[in-house]
Amino acid sequence: MVNYQQKDFYRVYDLVELVAALRSEGGCPWDREQTHESIRRNFIEEVYEAIEAIDLGDTDLLKEELGDVLLQVVFHALMEQEKGTFNIDDVADGVCKKLVLRHPHVFGDVQVSGTGDVLRNWDEIKKKEKHQKTVGDTLESVAHSLPSLIRAEKVLHKAAKAGYGKIDAAQAADAAKAALADAEKAPTEESIGTLLAAVVKMAEVADIDPEGALEKYTDTFIADVRAKDEAK
């Protein structure tokens, strides 16, 4: 049994100590066995559950799910602390420095006229930080681990901002029609991928979140199926 003082109210560093206790010699066998890779999916699932709490507008659920996300952050940081590479303070230090650097209009003397300037400055600062010298570098920096629909939207959006593939609504619709025709003739992985990308581009031009649009369609589809079930 680990000697740990229970409290009526715990703070962030109490969580760090709790996870350390779970990972200690006398702690939990399961927690001690975990690696970054073994709990990678847990991290993804916890983030999605927090997003669902936001979508539901459920404050109590959001508090709970953010706690689960925070647990994942602490867990991964502690595993690196055990290796002597970095700890949770280093994580906080890094993100604080990033926020200061990317907000020169707040913490420096840069003048902005609105959100557009803020976002442009953010992108330029990020490029310098990440040593992104070409548009290809910027596109490659979009995380490969993102869901494909979200990754495609981010890549196409960044490319359009740089002048690559910037088209209007009519051109986007024509491209989607052409991609659909090709997919009908030969439904291969490549042709279906091109069709999906064309639809994502249509959504981007129309300022519609393709991920959110598909999510709403799926919910509607389920509701329709339920209605037909009940009508039988």
Side-chain angles (χ1 to χ4, degrees), residues 34-133:
Q34 300 315 303
T35 64
H36 291 305
E37 292 74 22
S38 70
I39 60 172
R40 175 182 179 275
R41 181 164 178 170
N42 300 58
F43 208 158
I44 294 170
E45 291 172 355
E46 299 298 0
V47 171
Y48 274 112
E49 288 173 10
I51 295 300
E52 185 167 357
I54 292 172
D55 292 342
L56 293 172
D58 189 327
T59 304
D60 289 335
L61 182 59
L62 178 59
K63 179 177 68 173
E64 178 185 346
E65 298 302 346
L66 287 177
D68 291 340
V69 172
L70 180 58
L71 170 58
Q72 291 295 315
V73 173
V74 169
F75 210 129
H76 284 278
L78 185 61
M79 285 191 280
E80 289 303 316
Q81 180 178 319
E82 293 166 355
K83 299 175 187 177
T85 51
F86 64 80
N87 60 29
I88 194 69
D89 285 329
D90 296 313
V91 174
D93 175 67
V95 73
C96 285
K97 287 176 178 174
K98 181 187 294 185
L99 287 173
V100 171
L101 180 64
R102 294 189 187 178
H103 290 82
H105 54 289
V106 177
F107 304 108
D109 55 6
V110 172
Q111 299 295 315
V112 296
S113 59
T115 300
D117 286 347
V118 171
L119 294 177
R120 279 188 289 274
N121 289 342
W122 179 284
D123 285 343
E124 288 304 313
I125 294 168
K126 185 176 180 180
K127 287 177 185 176
K128 292 177 183 177
E129 267 184 73
K130 303 295 184 181
H131 306 293
Q132 297 168 4
K133 297 180 179 179

Side-chain angles (χ1 to χ4, degrees), residues 185-200:
K185 293 176 186 176
T188 63
E189 187 177 76
E190 181 180 355
S191 65
I192 296 298
T194 301
L195 174 59
L196 289 170
V199 173
V200 169

